[in-house]
Amino acid sequence: MIASKSNPRFWRRVKSSEHETLFTTAYQSSFATFRYCPEVYIGESGHLIRTCHGYRHRSNNKLHEWVKASINDVIVPVEVLHLQKIFPDVNKHHERFDHQYIPAVVELCLQVGVDVNDRSTSSSLITPPFPDYGLKLIARQTMTAWEELRSGVHKLLCVHPARVCKFCKEVQVGPSWHRARACGVLKDESSHCWKRALVEDLVPSNVVWSRRHQDTRVLVDQGRKYYGHAPAVVDLCSKAGALVPSKYFCMMKVHGFTAPRESSL
């Protein structure tokens, strides 16, 4: 039952629904600072909060230069080395181009027994799961799929091993480890320093600034302590009409104070 809750169908469902939500919202757009930093903002225009650290964190507290975002800016892709068998030989660094990298969630599901040749799974990977019922319904379904995905991955990680490098965030699913890619953080290109992976390592929440109805049209730097945050998918779906689960209310500061007028100027 756990595998059915988090398998390639749900991953495809989230990605397909998110794609439709992004490109059918004519009056709302997702913006991201591709050029200088990875921060994302969901809204008609970018915010004015000085949180850009520049390329490789070479500057501090700069204004962002916003460009149009894509689905991969909202749902951050995490790929892992695909294992043909659960206990393979240790992969060497010079063999890194001989192996395939696939989404971490898909690899996790394959290792717990999901059959990619199953007709119900393969058909859902080809046929778009959402007809055009309206943006609000798509947003609700996307929110539901997102919560089911993260919940399913959490259950799978309780019974199946996965590791993440604490330095470079490389993820490896399975009981073995690899040396196919050296750790890029350390200058000597040494091996990874593995630790137990969590849901956030496989399915990043990608937290963004969230504009509330009591906030000004454009978020400004002086009011940053009053503004809330939310995962990018949650914020996108809420702006498209979906109800936000109550567990995010504290993070989003739903009932928080409004920034003073002088902070909004």
Side-chain angles (χ1 to χ4, degrees), residues 57-124:
H57 291 251
R58 292 179 178 176
S59 60
N60 292 315
N61 303 324
K62 301 294 184 181
L63 287 175
H64 297 280
E65 293 188 18
W66 300 102
V67 295
K68 189 68 177 290
S70 67
I71 183 175
N72 285 339
D73 299 308
V74 179
I75 301 181
V76 180
V78 177
E79 294 188 336
V80 299
L81 184 70
H82 176 51
L83 302 180
Q84 299 295 336
K85 52 185 179 179
I86 298 298
F87 294 98
D89 297 331
V90 177
N91 297 300
K92 306 297 183 181
H93 180 63
H94 68 273
E95 299 174 342
R96 62 190 182 276
F97 299 116
D98 299 333
H99 303 279
Q100 179 185 10
Y101 279 79
I102 65 176
V105 175
V106 176
E107 177 66 16
L108 179 63
C109 296
L110 291 175
Q111 290 191 20
V112 298
V114 172
D115 184 8
V116 294
N117 296 319
D118 181 63
R119 181 174 299 179
S120 59
T121 301
S122 59
S123 62
S124 63

Side-chain angles (χ1 to χ4, degrees), residues 14-245:
V14 173
K15 297 289 282 188
S16 178
S17 177
E18 185 73 23
H19 186 276
E20 192 167 354
T21 305
L22 275 169
F23 291 98
T24 56
T25 310
Y27 59 91
Q28 294 171 337
S29 300
S30 175
F31 290 79
T33 51
F34 250 127
R35 194 170 303 169
Y36 300 116
C37 80
E39 183 164 336
V40 177
Y41 180 70
I42 311 296
E44 297 177 2
S45 60
H47 60 68
L48 298 178
I49 303 174
R50 292 179 174 270
T51 52
C52 182
H53 298 289
Y55 179 68
R56 292 188 177 181
H57 291 251
R58 292 179 178 176
S59 60
N60 292 315
N61 303 324
K62 301 294 184 181
L63 287 175
H64 297 280
E65 293 188 18
W66 300 102
V67 295
K68 189 68 177 290
S70 67
I71 183 175
N72 285 339
D73 299 308
V74 179
I75 301 181
V76 180
V78 177
E79 294 188 336
V80 299
L81 184 70
H82 176 51
L83 302 180
Q84 299 295 336
K85 52 185 179 179
I86 298 298
F87 294 98
D89 297 331
V90 177
N91 297 300
K92 306 297 183 181
H93 180 63
H94 68 273
E95 299 174 342
R96 62 190 182 276
F97 299 116
D98 299 333
H99 303 279
Q100 179 185 10
Y101 279 79
I102 65 176
V105 175
V106 176
E107 177 66 16
L108 179 63
C109 296
L110 291 175
Q111 290 191 20
V112 298
V114 172
D115 184 8
V116 294
N117 296 319
D118 181 63
R119 181 174 299 179
S120 59
T121 301
S122 59
S123 62
S124 63
L125 294 176
I126 299 174
T127 306
F130 295 114
D132 187 13
Y133 289 149
L135 182 63
K136 191 172 184 179
L137 179 58
I138 295 173
R140 291 175 181 173
Q141 294 172 321
T142 302
M143 184 80 79
T144 300
W146 173 255
E147 292 299 313
E148 289 179 345
L149 173 68
R150 286 181 62 90
S151 175
V153 170
H154 171 72
K155 294 175 182 178
L156 290 178
L157 290 177
C158 290
V159 297
H160 194 78
R163 296 178 177 86
V164 60
C165 177
K166 69 178 184 179
F167 294 124
C168 70
K169 303 305 179 182
E170 172 91 8
V171 176
Q172 174 65 34
V173 177
S176 62
W177 65 93
H178 72 78
R179 297 174 184 170
R181 287 199 296 202
C183 183
V185 174
L186 303 179
K187 293 182 178 180
D188 58 353
E189 294 188 353
S190 60
S191 60
H192 298 280
C193 184
W194 299 109
K195 67 176 183 177
R196 180 183 177 185
L198 303 175
V199 177
E200 190 66 21
D201 299 311
L202 275 71
V203 189
S205 55
N206 195 16
V207 176
V208 301
W209 292 95
S210 178
R211 179 182 174 273
R212 308 162 301 174
H213 68 276
Q214 64 264 41
D215 293 327
T216 55
R217 184 178 181 86
V218 179
L219 303 184
V220 295
D221 189 65
Q222 294 82 354
R224 59 192 300 174
K225 66 180 181 180
Y226 295 92
Y227 306 141
H229 296 82
V233 174
V234 174
D235 194 42
L236 177 65
C237 293
S238 67
K239 285 180 169 59
L243 296 177
V244 178

